[in-house]
Amino acid sequence: MRQSRFYAFVFVAPALLMLVAILGWPLLSAVLLSLQDVRAVGSEGNWVGLANYRKVLSNAAFWNASWLSVVWVVANAALRTVLALTAALVLNQRFPGVRIARTWIILTWIVPTVVVVMIWRWLFSTSGGMINPLLMQTGIIDRPIGFFSSKWSAMATLVFINSWRWFPFIALMMLAGLTRIPSDLYEAARIDGASTFKRFTRITWPLLAPTLGVLVIVGTLLSFNVFDIIWLLTSGGPAGGSKTLPILIYETAFKGYRLSEAATVAVLASVLLMAFAFFATRSLAQEGDER
């Protein structure tokens, strides 16, 4: 047993060393930077200890950005999961063209972010966009809506766009989980007279839960760090209504010229994400052991 563990460690060691080099060193550099008072890239700084942490934790902008990041992550997780699960259930059925549909659904994920932003900015535009005329023709609204004109409408629109961008990838992962469920279970349930809803709640959902748990963890980490879509569409506006922690870090470092303060926010965000990943994976492991 000890020899097996030794060989396992030997084989895993190169990957661990690479992770330490790629992830550990930048994180250590950020921690060291947060303990200084460096204002711009390349400038010298003095050692200030925990002064930056006291400043950041007493700053209302940090807590507001943290709250918006939580709203952003939860809203994305909910909408993206619903869209992905629906798409996965449809693509798991047998119908003409299902293989083509499984291939084409990934296109929205591989399209470059800049192209996605340009398309949705035009679609949601109040002058020439297609969304407002469509909603007016169907009678849902009676006048054009400025989707990026208020805090919550901007946040909701950004959540929709980001979820639209990422749900195909999550759907394919869910589809992989669905294909691993034995078809015999569904046949036996049909013979017993189980309805579609009961087959979903008693077979599909319990057996898909481990896959969903992993996707929630990965999706949360990815959503939390989204910068490009928010910055390109709203730059954190209007009035800071979409200024999540990544936007705050960028503005603090490269617009406010407070590099050490930005590093402090980044370190706090990293600690928060690592804590979430640790407790979430531990919870999944415990549920797996109970099963």
Side-chain angles (χ1 to χ4, degrees):
M1 180 64 70
R2 290 182 178 179
Q3 189 175 10
S4 299
R5 290 181 178 178
F6 172 76
Y7 283 117
F9 176 78
V10 170
F11 286 122
V12 174
L16 292 177
L17 291 175
M18 184 174 295
L19 284 176
V20 170
I22 296 176
L23 301 177
W25 174 248
L27 182 59
L28 178 60
S29 299
V31 172
L32 294 176
L33 184 60
S34 68
L35 300 175
Q36 304 175 55
D37 62 348
V38 178
R39 300 190 62 84
V41 178
S43 62
E44 296 292 333
N46 298 317
W47 193 267
V48 296
L50 299 176
N52 286 319
Y53 289 91
R54 289 192 292 268
K55 183 178 180 181
V56 168
L57 293 174
S58 62
N59 190 354
F62 169 76
W63 294 107
N64 183 66
S66 301
W67 164 247
L68 290 177
S69 293
V70 172
V71 172
W72 167 261
V73 167
V74 173
N76 270 280
L79 181 57
R80 190 169 51 205
T81 300
V82 171
L83 293 175
L85 183 58
T86 302
L89 291 174
V90 172
L91 294 176
N92 195 41
Q93 306 300 315
R94 295 180 180 179
F95 58 87
V98 63
R99 292 185 178 180
I100 298 176
R102 290 178 179 180
T103 303
W104 278 76
I105 192 176
I106 200 65
L107 289 180
T108 62
W109 180 63
I110 64 177
V111 172
T113 303
V114 175
V115 177
V116 172
V117 168
M118 291 177 63
I119 292 173
W120 285 106
R121 179 180 289 170
W122 169 66
L123 289 174
F124 283 115
S125 175
T126 54
S127 58
M130 295 180 60
I131 302 297
N132 272 310
L134 181 62
L135 295 177
M136 293 174 67
Q137 290 177 4
T138 55
I140 298 177
I141 60 176
D142 55 1
R143 58 182 179 180
I145 297 176
F147 290 94
F148 299 105
S149 60
S150 66
K151 292 183 179 182
W152 291 107
S153 64
M155 177 62 77
T157 305
L158 289 170
V159 167
F160 171 78
I161 295 173
N162 190 64
S163 298
W164 175 87
R165 172 81 189 283
W166 282 96
F167 92 86
F169 174 76
I170 305 298
L172 289 181
M173 298 300 102
M174 290 184 181
L175 181 61
L178 288 173
T179 56
R180 297 178 59 184
I181 300 177
S183 59
D184 296 343
L185 296 177
Y186 292 106
E187 292 295 334
R190 290 191 186 96
I191 294 174
D192 291 339
S195 62
T196 302
F197 179 76
K198 284 189 175 181
R199 291 199 299 270
F200 175 79
T201 56
R202 302 293 178 85
I203 300 176
T204 304
W205 184 260
L207 295 179
L208 193 62
T211 302
L212 286 173
V214 174
L215 291 175
V216 166
I217 296 174
V218 175
T220 298
L221 299 178
L222 291 175
S223 295
F224 191 93
N225 293 312
V226 167
F227 170 82
D228 46 8
I229 288 181
I230 300 176
W231 181 257
L232 291 173
L233 282 170
T234 65
S235 299
S242 58
K243 186 182 292 186
T244 57
L245 284 176
I247 304 298
L248 178 64
I249 293 170
Y250 176 84
E251 288 190 346
T252 304
F254 302 110
K255 297 183 72 176
Y257 297 103
R258 302 190 303 275
L259 198 60
S260 290
E261 188 176 329
T264 303
V265 178
V267 170
L268 292 173
S270 299
V271 171
L272 177 63
L273 289 178
M274 286 189 289
F276 167 78
F278 173 77
F279 288 110
T281 52
R282 187 175 180 180
S283 177
L284 285 178
Q286 290 177 350
E287 290 181 2
D289 294 338
E290 292 176 357
R291 291 192 182 93

